[in-house]
Each structure stands twice: as C-alpha cells, then as structure tokens.
Amino acid sequence: MTDKPPLPARMFDPWPRIPIDTSEGSDFHHLNRTAGSAATGWALGPEGAYAQNFTLAEVVDGAVREALLHLLELGLIDIDSDRLNAAPGLPTHRERTSP
C-alpha cells in the first residue's frame, strides 16, 4: 500500500490523491468486480431498487452502500477512522485524474 499523503490543512483545500492501479488483474479490478456484483445483486433483487421503483439517486446511494458494506464485511477494505475524524472536511465530488 502506498503511504497516505497528509490531510489538507483547511476545509476546501485540495486533497492529494493516491495513485491507484486500475488495470485488469489489479487488486482494484478484483474489488471493483466484487463490489459491482454486490451492488447489481441489490439493485436487481426482489427487494431492490427496480422492484421498488426507486429514483436514480436512491439507486446510486443504495448501490454504493451495498458495495461498501460487502467489502467491509469481507474484511477487504478498512475505514481509517483516525484519518476520517482528523479531516477538516471531506470532498464530496471526485476530481477526475484518470480515464
């Protein structure tokens, strides 16, 4: 794992990004497929988004939640609580740095 860059000093300062290998066969690729399967299963399942006629925003929120929960429950990702709580604020929009 790459060392994490320091947190920004103030809210709304840019967050330094960690480079991620997204190529086929990478760890990210495997996690993305696992999370995507969990999210798709939730959306298409009998209690999921399509069965309940959710809005697009509800579908996205539910799918992201399901994917994150699945990866956390499997122990494949961890929450860095110290970093989360030390941050002056969290960016809600992702700056695109790769295709």
Side-chain angles (χ1 to χ4, degrees), residues 5 23 44 69 74 81 89 92 97:
S23 65
L44 300 178
L69 275 173
L74 294 174
S81 297
T92 57
T97 57

Side-chain angles (χ1 to χ4, degrees), residues 38-77:
T40 299
W42 168 81
L44 300 178
E47 301 293 322
Y50 290 106
Q52 297 186 46
N53 213 17
F54 284 0
T55 66
L56 179 57
E58 291 170 323
V59 172
V60 171
D61 287 346
V64 169
R65 182 181 190 281
E66 187 67 18
L68 284 173
L69 275 173
H70 188 64
L71 296 177
L72 286 164
E73 290 168 348
L74 294 174
L76 295 172
I77 61 172

Side-chain angles (χ1 to χ4, degrees), residues 1 21 27 33 37 40 46 54 62 68 88 93:
M1 177 77 189
D21 176 8
D27 290 343
R33 290 189 59 164
S37 291
T40 299
F54 284 0
L68 284 173
H93 295 88

